[in-house]
Amino acid sequence: MCSSDLDNQTNKIVTKLVTNINSVNDFIKTPFWLKNLLQFIPNVKDTPALSTNIYNALNTKQNWLWQQYTSLWNREDYKNTLNIFLKVLSELYAIISDTNQKNQLIAWLTQYYNKNESPELIIFINRLFYDIINKLSVYKWPFSQTIINRFTKVRDWGLKKEIANTLNIMLIKTKEDDGLTEQQIQSIFTNYINLVDDDNQKDIFNWISESLKNEILIKHFEIIINNQSDEKKFELLELLIELNKNEIIENVIITILKDINCEELENIFKKIENTKVSQDIIIKSIKAVLRSIERESENFECLLENFSVSKFSDNVIHNLIAEKVKNLLATEENDEILFALRIIDNLNINDERKLKAIKALIQDINENNFQEDDLKLVKRIKKKYE
């Protein structure tokens, strides 16, 4: 049989099935005819007139099914009919091109998805959404925000896990200019992070781990991490170490150190060490903080004091610290000069240009401006840097 004969035969079968669907409104014949129609949906892809006939039949059935929902949602024959109906419309959505029809099909799916009476129905429609996403090329999914909202609202953990499967495939398939928006990506990550606790940490870390295989998402994940509390950042460091995401780890540590309260500094460094972050990353993070911190920063002094004696500090860090305090030696403020001298006393400066400039500034300090212990410090440092 040639392809045109086959097409004609398919058209006749589909037309007959649509006629039968239009002629009944019950929970025995309707699901029977819908189920028979389902297998032919892929064959009407290039036949707009036929797909429109199917759409019109579904429109009629939607009105009938929706009217019955409140009273019959938990009756088995109704549930069976509704599920087959929803499966047919999701399959039709995947093959038609008419924008208005596609939007209406999604509206019907969403209408039932947003109902709260039946977790089983939510799961069923969620899997239809998953299949649509998985089957089609990436595009601006019109139902993506609906799924995000549904994930946020449900309380049952098993139901959340089901919906997360669909969120995760959207994350994985998202491209720079298609799929989820930046706001949606960050919303999903925020939802995930806010849910982390001892009971579900493994699940959520797995979700994040899988999604970050899509490198487009990394910058958005960084933004969300940086908005978290220090306690939450430390929880997430464990995940990042597992994933070997060194750039994000460094960024997290930089954010923690830049915003730190001085009285917490020692404890924070202990926590960083306990997370088993590599020493190289800690050193790089300290260097980045030093390059960005200004004298006006509230924690300027305590950070420099800590970094100047830290076991993580190397010659590059010492030189960076020297650059930060050098100009304080040229001020007329005694407290600034004394602070700079105490820091310099801890340093091993091997940058000859910096060392020469610092030596000159130290020798220019007017000893007459200092008394007692402060004067002793000035004289000792002058002798040390003759």
Side-chain angles (χ1 to χ4, degrees):
M1 184 181 294
C2 69
S3 61
S4 60
D5 290 338
L6 187 61
D7 289 341
N8 288 333
Q9 185 175 352
T10 299
N11 291 350
K12 288 178 182 178
I13 294 171
V14 171
T15 301
K16 180 62 175 176
L17 288 169
V18 168
T19 300
N20 291 340
I21 291 167
N22 284 330
S23 68
V24 295
N25 271 344
D26 63 40
F27 301 120
I28 298 174
K29 293 178 182 177
T30 300
F32 174 80
W33 294 123
L34 285 170
K35 192 171 184 179
N36 278 278
L37 175 63
L38 186 61
Q39 62 185 305
F40 292 100
I41 297 291
N43 301 106
V44 303
K45 181 175 183 180
D46 300 316
T47 316
L50 199 55
S51 61
T52 296
N53 286 341
I54 297 172
Y55 168 83
N56 290 335
L58 293 177
N59 188 18
T60 302
K61 284 293 163 281
Q62 156 62 12
N63 293 332
W64 172 63
L65 286 166
W66 183 247
Q67 288 170 4
Q68 311 292 321
Y69 178 84
T70 302
S71 59
L72 300 181
W73 67 268
N74 202 31
R75 212 172 82 177
E76 286 302 320
D77 56 356
Y78 177 85
K79 289 194 290 186
N80 179 55
T81 304
L82 180 60
N83 285 352
I84 296 172
F85 165 78
L86 294 172
K87 177 65 175 174
V88 171
L89 72 82
S90 71
E91 291 292 324
L92 184 64
Y93 175 87
I95 60 98
I96 62 174
S97 56
D98 185 294
T99 302
N100 291 331
Q101 291 180 12
K102 289 176 81 76
N103 289 342
Q104 190 57 64
L105 292 172
I106 291 300
W108 294 336
L109 278 171
T110 301
Q111 192 172 0
Y112 292 102
Y113 190 60
N114 286 333
K115 299 298 287 183
N116 296 315
E117 293 82 3
S118 172
E120 292 82 6
L121 180 59
I122 295 172
I123 290 171
F124 183 81
I125 299 172
N126 186 73
R127 290 176 180 174
L128 295 180
F129 283 139
Y130 182 99
D131 290 341
I132 290 170
I133 297 161
N134 195 40
K135 186 183 300 182
L136 301 179
S137 299
V138 183
Y139 64 108
K140 297 290 186 187
W141 301 296
F143 45 79
S144 55
Q145 191 59 48
T146 299
I147 299 172
I148 294 169
N149 293 344
R150 177 44 91 183
F151 179 86
T152 305
K153 290 177 182 176
V154 300
R155 294 290 174 262
D156 180 77
W157 182 245
L159 193 49
K160 274 192 183 292
K161 287 174 70 173
E162 282 284 344
I163 299 171
N165 289 333
T166 307
L167 294 179
N168 292 339
I169 194 173
M170 288 194 290
L171 287 169
I172 290 166
K173 293 192 73 169
T174 288
K175 298 181 178 179
E176 285 285 4
D177 55 355
D178 250 330
L180 297 169
T181 66
E182 291 185 4
Q183 183 179 8
Q184 289 175 330
I185 295 167
Q186 293 176 22
S187 172
I188 294 170
F189 282 141
T190 299
N191 284 332
Y192 284 177
I193 289 170
N194 288 342
L195 285 171
V196 172
D197 62 29
D198 291 339
D199 294 331
N200 61 32
Q201 185 182 66
K202 184 176 180 181
D203 286 328
I204 294 174
F205 279 10
N206 283 339
W207 300 344
I208 295 173
S209 172
E210 284 300 307
S211 69
L212 290 180
K213 291 177 182 178
N214 181 352
E215 295 185 356
I216 291 168
L217 306 182
I218 290 176
K219 60 185 177 185
H220 301 295
F221 186 58
E222 282 185 317
I223 291 169
I224 298 307
I225 286 184
N226 290 337
N227 289 334
Q228 304 303 309
S229 66
D230 284 350
E231 183 179 351
K232 187 66 74 173
K233 287 187 178 103
F234 279 112
E235 286 182 30
L236 293 168
L237 278 176
E238 296 178 20
L239 167 66
L240 297 171
I241 291 167
E242 272 185 44
L243 299 178
N244 201 30
K245 299 292 183 183
N246 291 343
E247 288 186 14
I248 306 181
I249 295 170
E250 183 181 335
N251 191 32
V252 171
I253 294 175
I254 290 168
T255 306
I256 291 171
L257 293 178
K258 283 175 71 173
D259 298 335
I260 201 169
N261 292 323
C262 290
E263 58 269 20
E264 298 175 2
L265 190 55
E266 184 176 346
N267 186 45
I268 288 295
F269 263 108
K270 286 180 181 176
K271 281 188 173 182
I272 291 173
E273 290 184 65
N274 289 340
T275 60
K276 299 180 181 177
V277 175
S278 78
Q279 184 166 317
D280 286 345
I281 292 176
I282 296 174
I283 290 171
K284 286 178 71 176
S285 302
I286 291 173
K287 289 174 183 176
V289 171
L290 284 170
R291 291 188 180 100
S292 64
I293 196 170
E294 300 294 340
R295 181 65 187 96
E296 293 74 23
S297 302
E298 289 184 11
N299 53 8
F300 177 86
E301 291 188 10
C302 69
L303 284 177
L304 264 61
E305 286 174 0
N306 184 282
F307 293 164
S308 69
V309 296
S310 170
K311 67 179 183 181
F312 298 109
S313 293
D314 57 16
N315 287 334
V316 174
I317 288 175
H318 282 194
N319 291 331
L320 285 169
I321 296 172
E323 183 63 33
K324 289 293 177 180
V325 300
K326 181 183 68 176
N327 293 336
L328 302 183
L329 296 170
T331 69
E332 295 181 359
E333 299 290 331
N334 286 0
D335 288 344
E336 297 283 82
I337 293 170
L338 292 169
F339 169 72
L341 292 177
R342 285 194 294 272
I343 297 300
I344 289 168
D345 195 26
N346 297 329
L347 302 181
N348 177 23
I349 306 168
N350 68 354
D351 184 314
E352 291 299 327
R353 182 183 60 80
K354 281 190 180 70
L355 184 58
K356 183 177 180 181
I358 285 172
K359 282 182 175 181
L361 288 168
I362 290 173
Q363 299 308 319
D364 286 342
I365 295 172
N366 186 351
E367 295 181 15
N368 294 327
N369 294 332
F370 299 90
Q371 297 178 357
E372 299 178 351
D373 290 343
D374 293 342
L375 179 58
K376 289 179 182 177
L377 174 65
V378 172
K379 287 184 174 182
R380 181 170 66 79
I381 300 298
K382 275 192 170 186
K383 184 171 181 61
K384 181 177 179 179
Y385 284 90
E386 286 178 342

